[in-house]
Amino acid sequence: GRMKPVIVVHGGAGRIFKEREEGSRAGVVRAVLRGYGILKQGGSALDAVEEAVRSMEDDPHFNAGRGSVLNEKGEVEMDAIIMDGKNLDSGAVSAVKRIANPIKLARLVMEKTKHMLLTDHGAHLFAQAMGIPETPGEKLITERSRERWKKNLEPDSNPEEFQKDLGTVGAVAVDSEGNVACATSTGGLSNKLIGRVGDTACIGSGGYADNRSGATSTTGHGESIMKVVLARLILYHMEQGMSPEMAADTALDYMKTRVGGLGGVIVVNSSGEWAARFSTKQMSWATVKDDQLHYGIYAGERHTKSVAEALASESEGF
């Protein structure tokens, strides 16, 4: 039977500074509308989540692609994952540099190799073999990322303070065929050690998709997310009969009480119910279901518009 497609995106959990709220809201709305456009035309969940994440990688408001935070050496190192709920195929890249859209590379790893995760130099060689143009490192670095990096190098600085503004991006969707998919992409932690890889590139932590239950993409403190394998934990709770919202809250609560970690998740189940939940102060998110767009940043905040109205204001620029 034909499903009504649903897509949910997040622009990262943490603290969103006042002057960046508008841009974050606009960015998740733009991404969700692009992904929904694909679903609306009968496109796959896989294409929709990739497109939504690509849109946010290109948006300097988010810590992914252009706008990624810098490691201790002042470089961008990015992680990304994509997963197909139909056959549990997944592709991921970690610690990649000089690539505008790591999510595209992750998709190619899934479709053109027998592997699931390529890292650093090997990912770079694979990108070259696939004809992906190299983007000069400076092109990915924003003034803001450089400022933050410098601040964090000061002897009395507290990078932990800034870690609260994380901004991994992600998307989950169910298409009209009933297939689910997830995609997640990030620049990681500000001033992280060279070669640090967080949850994003790890299947079951940064994301998971299985047609039998649903799909989820996570954001927040990577090391905590990895300890509890957050994405898979949420789907496990749904397999036990919980709603997406209940499963998300239960898993986030466990992560908080067990390892003191905060984060956020977006979830869709195979029948199209969705959730966007977070234990941090904020998380930018947006969803489209039944041609209605919903979006927000603060707990309890939820704006609703028809897709037609949203697309109209989209074309005028927010």
Side-chain angles (χ1 to χ4, degrees):
R2 305 289 283 170
M3 280 277 306
K4 273 195 174 155
V6 181
I7 181 167
V8 195
V9 308
H10 70 73
R15 182 183 57 180
I16 297 161
F17 295 106
K18 263 279 179 270
E19 74 276 8
R20 298 177 69 76
E21 274 184 21
E22 264 329 286
S24 297
R25 270 198 198 92
V28 289
V29 167
R30 187 177 304 121
V32 86
L33 291 173
R34 282 193 182 162
Y36 188 66
I38 288 173
L39 295 172
K40 193 78 179 137
Q41 287 157 16
S44 71
L46 215 45
D47 285 345
V49 295
E50 182 187 356
E51 177 57 31
V53 165
R54 199 189 57 74
S55 167
M56 291 183 284
E57 285 177 339
D58 292 342
D59 185 329
H61 281 92
F62 304 108
N63 172 18
R66 183 162 179 269
S68 287
V69 297
L70 310 185
N71 67 11
E72 55 176 356
K73 247 179 72 180
E75 300 171 326
V76 164
E77 287 187 308
M78 301 164 291
D79 305 332
I81 193 167
I82 193 164
M83 186 166 182
D84 183 349
K86 197 164 47 235
N87 48 16
L88 307 189
D89 273 353
S90 179
V93 292
S94 69
V96 296
K97 304 179 176 87
R98 299 188 295 283
I99 281 178
N101 297 109
I103 200 64
K104 278 169 78 162
L105 192 56
R107 174 91 185 252
L108 288 168
V109 170
M110 175 171 88
E111 292 181 345
K112 306 285 184 202
T113 77
K114 292 192 177 73
H115 307 312
M116 283 170 75
L117 171 60
L118 289 183
T119 193
D120 198 0
H121 183 59
H124 182 72
L125 293 175
F126 175 66
Q128 280 179 330
M130 288 290 119
I132 290 186
E134 194 171 301
T135 303
E138 311 74 79
K139 274 251 167 55
L140 299 172
I141 297 176
T142 58
E143 199 39 54
R144 177 167 187 267
S145 296
R146 199 175 286 293
E147 282 305 300
R148 280 181 58 180
W149 173 69
K150 281 198 192 121
K151 257 212 174 72
N152 289 346
L153 289 179
E154 290 164 11
D156 56 349
S157 85
N158 175 13
E160 291 298 307
E161 233 342 271
F162 287 99
Q163 301 310 9
K164 298 195 171 72
D165 179 29
L166 287 168
T168 299
V169 305
V172 295
V174 55
D175 60 30
S176 53
E177 302 288 313
N179 293 314
V180 300
C182 70
T184 313
S185 181
T186 191
L189 286 182
S190 193
N191 295 61
K192 63 193 176 181
L193 293 180
I194 291 162
R196 179 265 188 185
V197 175
D199 65 293
T200 300
C202 302
I203 190 171
S205 293
Y208 202 83
D210 183 347
N211 280 7
R212 292 181 181 178
S213 42
T216 180
S217 167
T218 68
T219 165
H221 185 244
E223 283 72 13
S224 299
I225 290 170
M226 290 158 98
K227 287 176 185 176
V228 302
V229 198
L230 186 63
R232 192 64 191 82
L233 181 60
I234 292 165
L235 291 193
Y236 165 78
H237 286 314
M238 289 187 342
E239 287 157 5
Q240 304 299 304
M242 283 188 193
S243 68
E245 188 161 306
M246 184 79 189
D249 286 347
T250 305
L252 282 168
D253 190 52
Y254 176 73
M255 183 167 82
K256 192 172 172 180
T257 53
R258 187 70 180 88
V259 297
L262 301 179
V265 298
I266 50 172
V267 193
V268 66
N269 70 10
S270 36
S271 49
E273 295 176 293
W274 63 275
R277 311 291 293 169
F278 46 101
S279 52
T280 50
K281 261 206 177 69
Q282 291 144 296
M283 179 178 80
S284 53
W285 64 272
T287 185
V288 175
K289 182 179 180 174
D290 293 333
D291 282 315
Q292 291 289 304
L293 162 77
H294 310 277
Y295 61 98
I297 285 186
Y298 292 95
E301 174 194 358
R302 181 158 160 186
H303 307 277
T304 303
K305 281 181 180 177
S306 73
V307 166
E309 183 190 348
L311 284 169
S313 61
E314 178 67 23
S315 56
E316 292 153 24
F318 261 70

